[in-house]
Amino acid sequence: MLPTGSKDTQLRENNSQKVHPQPMEEAKNQNPDAFEALISKLFNNVSSLKSAYIQLQAAHTPYDPEKIQAADKLVISELKTLSELKHFYREHNPKPVCVSPRDSRLAAEIQEQQSLLKTYEVMVKKFQSEIQNKDSEIHQLQKQIEEANQKKVKLEKNLKLRGLSTKESENENGFFPVDLTPDLFTAAVESAFKAIHDFSKPLINMMKAAGWDLDAAANSIEPNVVYAKRAHKKYAFESHICQKMFSGFQQESFSINLDNLTTITKESFFNQYLAMREMDPIDMLGQNPDSVFGKFCRAKYLLVVHPKMEASFFGNLDQRNFVTGGGHPRTPFYQAFLKLAKSIWLLHRLAYSFDPSVKIFQVKRGSEFSEVYMESIVKNMVMSESEEKPKVGLMVMPGFWIGGSVIQSRVYLSGMRVAE
């Protein structure tokens, strides 16, 4: 038992000491289940925050804007959850009165807001970087659109020059609308003429490779033609191709024998033209080798390419026998011929689309040259010293009457000389 003086002294010492209670320990003692739930949520939140941060890092390698944005949102969400847990704890477990408690809480609030502010600043910088990248992509796309529009304008000009429509919608038959005009037919004539010229090149080259006498071959096609230059004998082969390919053009059937011959309307002819003009001929024949076009190709190939010529080219007649049997070989030579056949076939379909139909006319050898109906295929030709009018040596392309207009036949004039 202490003396009375000693007990008073101890009480004064205890009253003079500062008390610092442990709030977490009090909370745990007051409601241990709630405290454990809070701690569990806190650990889960920290784990989720780490996972979100790892996802954010992974989204940068490789760089994926969508994944970055999703990960950013997830990090912010977890930070907000952490902040809410903190506020929840403070509301239910306020700190005991101590030195400057208000200042301590405000300092913690400020620190938390500053931390969030830094997070938002990082996000803003990332978004600004993404915006700059998007602006750069938009600029590149605008440049590409501008280049595409320039190409479109050029294509439209070319189409107008060829008499083709530039409308972008399809008609009820599923074809892009094309105006049936004389200009469209003129463009088709030019395409056919070019196709004849293009096919003559490999034909002549293969004849050279096979050892043919080209002078004798040209003379056998049309004898006694006086050429201004030896190189002009190529027109004899173009004339041969032309004569064979346009044989029967004046007939609607194009001289193709059909089992069930029915009358074809003008509209049907034009629809056939529209359907075929963008298609690859070998693909068409692969789908239907015995179509009318297939029979046309078969008949014209056997006319244009002589058996002796083919045997000298390939050493046998296998390709010819294959065509005769109803096939369409995928050899380069036959495919080159199909391009020619398609251009002539399309011209025929187009000619009978008009009302009245386009009429073909051909010029015989020895006819006097007419500037109305004929055009010299060689432009710098002049008359010889004789006073006779120029005579046709070869017809390289027939002429056409369309409405009241004339598309001139293209001819090679015999006995002329090239201007110096």
Side-chain angles (χ1 to χ4, degrees):
M1 189 171 180
L2 294 173
T4 304
S6 297
K7 187 181 291 187
D8 293 339
T9 303
Q10 187 177 2
L11 287 171
R12 284 195 300 269
E13 289 176 357
N14 290 338
N15 290 333
S16 64
Q17 291 179 357
K18 294 181 179 179
V19 179
H20 298 281
Q22 304 299 321
M24 290 185 66
E25 191 67 27
E26 291 177 7
K28 182 176 180 182
N29 294 332
Q30 292 174 4
N31 193 346
D33 293 336
F35 182 82
E36 290 180 4
L38 180 64
I39 294 298
S40 178
K41 288 182 180 179
L42 181 62
F43 278 113
N44 289 337
N45 178 247
V46 172
S47 298
S48 299
L49 184 59
K50 288 182 179 179
S51 175
Y53 183 72
I54 291 171
Q55 291 181 35
L56 181 62
Q57 287 182 318
H60 283 79
T61 309
Y63 186 80
D64 190 330
E66 293 183 0
K67 289 185 178 180
I68 288 174
Q69 189 174 2
D72 279 340
K73 290 180 179 179
L74 190 57
V75 169
I76 292 171
S77 176
E78 296 300 335
L79 286 172
K80 286 182 177 180
T81 303
L82 184 61
S83 178
E84 289 171 0
L85 288 174
K86 184 176 180 181
H87 283 295
F88 176 84
Y89 175 77
R90 285 178 175 175
E91 289 174 0
H92 292 81
N93 300 280
K95 287 184 178 180
V97 177
C98 61
V99 178
S100 302
R102 182 177 300 176
D103 293 343
S104 177
R105 180 170 292 187
L106 286 174
E109 293 279 356
I110 291 170
Q111 186 177 0
E112 182 181 350
Q113 295 301 323
Q114 286 177 340
S115 178
L116 287 174
L117 183 61
K118 288 181 181 179
T119 302
Y120 293 142
E121 287 176 352
V122 171
M123 288 186 60
V124 168
K125 288 181 180 179
K126 289 180 180 178
F127 287 142
Q128 286 177 342
S129 176
E130 290 178 11
I131 289 170
Q132 289 177 355
N133 291 334
K134 294 296 182 183
D135 287 341
S136 178
E137 291 178 8
I138 290 170
H139 178 72
Q140 291 294 329
L141 290 172
Q142 287 176 339
K143 189 176 180 181
Q144 292 177 10
I145 291 171
E146 186 178 351
E147 291 175 355
N149 286 333
Q150 291 176 355
K151 290 180 180 179
K152 178 186 174 185
V153 170
K154 290 182 180 179
L155 287 172
E156 287 178 346
K157 287 182 180 178
N158 291 334
L159 289 172
K160 287 179 180 179
L161 289 174
R162 297 185 181 187
L164 303 179
S165 173
T166 57
K167 298 177 183 177
E168 296 181 351
S169 59
E170 294 184 357
N171 63 15
E172 58 184 4
N173 294 317
F175 309 122
F176 288 99
V178 175
D179 297 328
L180 182 61
T181 64
D183 288 339
L184 179 62
F185 185 80
T186 301
V189 171
E190 291 296 326
S191 296
F193 174 67
K194 183 178 182 301
I196 291 172
H197 175 72
D198 290 345
F199 181 70
S200 70
K201 287 183 178 180
L203 187 70
I204 293 172
N205 289 335
M206 293 181 76
M207 291 178 71
K208 286 181 181 179
W212 281 68
D213 184 342
L214 296 182
D215 293 332
N219 189 58
S220 67
I221 293 171
E222 200 66 68
N224 302 322
V225 176
V226 181
Y227 297 94
K229 285 185 176 181
R230 185 170 182 269
H232 289 177
K233 291 185 179 182
K234 66 180 181 179
Y235 295 120
F237 300 100
E238 292 186 20
S239 176
H240 166 74
I241 296 170
C242 170
Q243 296 283 357
K244 299 300 182 183
M245 293 302 298
F246 279 97
S247 174
F249 188 93
Q250 69 279 5
Q251 301 174 14
E252 281 194 6
S253 64
F254 215 146
S255 297
I256 304 301
N257 294 324
L258 300 174
D259 296 333
N260 298 321
L261 185 60
T262 57
T263 303
I264 305 176
T265 63
K266 301 293 183 183
E267 184 179 2
S268 296
F269 272 109
F270 192 52
N271 285 339
Q272 288 180 32
Y273 166 80
L274 292 173
M276 287 185 59
R277 67 189 189 119
E278 299 297 337
M279 295 183 68
D280 189 332
I282 195 67
D283 291 338
M284 290 189 296
L285 295 177
Q287 296 172 7
N288 190 0
D290 292 323
S291 63
V292 181
F293 176 64
K295 293 178 179 179
F296 168 79
C297 293
R298 190 176 299 124
K300 292 300 182 182
Y301 177 82
L302 299 176
L303 276 176
V304 172
V305 184
H306 194 275
K308 290 183 179 179
M309 186 183 293
E310 186 172 334
S312 68
F313 291 167
F314 308 114
N316 54 58
L317 295 176
D318 291 348
Q319 181 165 281
R320 190 177 195 84
N321 293 334
F322 186 73
V323 174
T324 304
H328 297 282
R330 290 181 173 268
T331 61
F333 183 72
Y334 192 76
Q335 289 190 52
F337 168 78
L338 289 181
K339 292 180 180 179
L340 165 66
K342 176 188 172 183
S343 67
I344 305 299
W345 181 259
L346 287 177
L347 187 65
H348 181 267
R349 301 292 97 178
L350 200 55
Y352 283 90
S353 300
F354 288 87
D355 190 12
S357 301
V358 176
K359 300 298 182 182
I360 186 174
F361 68 87
Q362 303 191 34
V363 180
K364 294 182 179 180
R365 183 188 171 218
S367 302
E368 288 188 0
F369 178 71
S370 167
E371 293 183 352
V372 177
Y373 296 103
M374 305 174 202
E375 176 186 358
S376 174
I377 197 167
V378 182
K379 302 301 179 185
N380 58 342
M381 299 279 278
V382 295
M383 292 184 63
S384 59
E385 296 178 356
S386 64
E387 296 181 356
E388 293 183 2
K389 291 184 178 181
K391 297 293 181 65
V392 174
L394 300 166
M395 186 195 71
V396 184
M397 184 72 184
F400 301 90
W401 284 294
I402 177 169
S405 303
V406 174
I407 298 177
Q408 294 171 308
S409 171
R410 301 183 191 191
V411 297
Y412 183 83
L413 300 176
S414 179
M416 303 287 285
R417 61 185 179 86
V418 179
E420 299 295 336

